[in-house]
Amino acid sequence: MNHFNIISSLILFGLSILCFWLPFKNGNKKTGIVTGTILSLLIAWTILAELEFLVIFIWPFILAFQIVFLTYWIFRVFKRPKTGKYVSLLLTFGFILLFMSPWISDWIFSKNDARKLLAEHNIELKDDFKILKNESGGFMDYSHTLKIQISESDKVRIAKEIRESKGFLEFKDYKKDFPSANYETFEKLNYETENHLNREYWTEKPMEDGTSHFYFQLSKTKNELQYIGTDY
């Protein structure tokens, strides 16, 4: 375990003890015992399993539950159960919005957002288009995938830009050994495969969402352009 996980686990265990102690001291012994035991077992299981994704995925939910639970019981200790109930509900709603924020951002992603994103990579869409797919997120690594249906004139223009780019690699049967952009030079790699025109490159400074590795794929058979941005 790294230092961050050790410190985090100690904090979570400490909060679990409070989740046991507060109800127990206020006459709800069963609630305290059950809650404290379940939380401690979950934390111990994620540590013993030695799987990093469990820590990243489960611990934030455990912490959120502990904060809501302790908030309610702290107000109960001070004889304000109704206030504790309302504050806990507000906290719960806030955490739900926080955990769902990646999906919410995908749902509200608009055509203007798509135009702005592509413009940051010097790809201009002059005609209207349709968003076919928009997904972002990831536990260990972050990625953003956008697929759009574009006009024939935009497709022809973008295809021409890729083909006329410096160092463009014409069609070759790469099989599984596809060319890859050099992350040290930050130069754009433009090449052609059987069904797509491709552009890949790295940037020295990450974008606002943390992505620094970008891949564009223009279909040769359909009017579709796909963008993939990652932080790896």
Side-chain angles (χ1 to χ4, degrees):
M1 290 181 66
N2 55 46
H3 293 297
F4 174 78
N5 286 351
I6 292 173
I7 295 172
S8 299
S9 64
L10 291 175
I11 292 173
L12 291 177
F13 274 123
L15 293 175
S16 296
I17 293 173
L18 286 176
C19 288
F20 155 76
W21 184 76
L22 283 177
F24 191 88
K25 288 290 289 184
N26 284 273
N28 289 268
K29 296 183 178 181
K30 185 177 181 180
T31 300
I33 293 172
V34 171
T35 304
T37 301
I38 291 176
L39 289 173
S40 297
L41 288 175
L42 278 174
I43 299 166
W45 172 61
T46 56
I47 294 173
L48 294 174
E50 295 185 349
L51 295 175
E52 191 70 21
F53 79 90
L54 287 177
V55 172
I56 295 174
F57 181 71
I58 294 178
W59 281 13
F61 288 96
I62 293 176
L63 178 61
F65 174 82
Q66 289 173 328
I67 292 173
V68 173
F69 186 84
L70 289 174
T71 297
Y72 172 74
W73 280 99
I74 287 171
F75 276 102
R76 283 199 60 169
V77 168
F78 290 99
K79 310 300 181 182
R80 302 290 297 273
K82 287 187 177 180
T83 303
K85 181 180 179 181
Y86 294 138
V87 174
S88 297
L89 287 173
L90 286 174
L91 285 173
T92 301
F93 181 71
F95 282 124
I96 289 173
L97 289 179
L98 177 63
F99 290 132
M100 291 188 65
S101 58
W103 292 275
I104 293 174
S105 63
D106 288 345
W107 297 335
I108 63 175
F109 190 84
S110 66
K111 287 185 178 182
N112 286 335
D113 294 323
R115 286 185 186 276
K116 181 181 178 182
L117 175 64
L118 295 175
E120 290 176 345
H121 299 276
N122 299 314
I123 294 180
E124 181 185 3
L125 297 177
K126 295 186 177 181
D127 301 326
D128 192 21
F129 61 93
K130 180 181 179 181
I131 297 177
L132 302 175
K133 177 182 179 182
N134 181 63
E135 297 178 351
S136 62
F139 294 126
M140 301 291 290
D141 304 304
Y142 176 83
S143 66
H144 181 191
T145 301
L146 171 67
K147 180 184 284 188
I148 58 176
Q149 185 178 57
I150 60 178
S151 68
E152 180 67 23
S153 59
D154 275 339
K155 175 185 175 180
V156 171
R157 182 171 47 79
I158 295 172
K160 183 181 179 182
E161 291 176 2
I162 294 176
R163 289 183 184 278
E164 294 180 352
S165 298
K166 179 182 178 181
F168 175 73
L169 303 176
E170 295 185 357
F171 174 67
K172 175 183 176 182
D173 187 6
Y174 293 104
K175 298 187 183 297
K176 293 183 179 180
D177 189 22
F178 290 95
S180 180
N182 190 330
Y183 66 90
E184 294 181 339
T185 62
F186 310 114
E187 292 182 357
K188 293 181 180 180
L189 173 67
N190 298 277
Y191 63 98
E192 182 179 10
T193 55
E194 182 178 0
N195 297 313
H196 298 92
L197 292 172
N198 307 273
R199 172 174 289 174
E200 180 191 7
Y201 62 96
W202 296 75
T203 56
E204 187 174 2
K205 294 183 179 180
M207 297 294 183
E208 289 183 2
D209 60 0
T211 55
S212 57
H213 185 196
F214 307 99
Y215 185 71
F216 294 86
Q217 197 172 58
L218 180 66
S219 174
K220 293 162 63 176
T221 58
K222 301 178 182 178
N223 290 2
E224 292 181 0
L225 174 66
Q226 178 168 268
Y227 157 88
I228 301 176
T230 71
D231 62 359
Y232 54 90

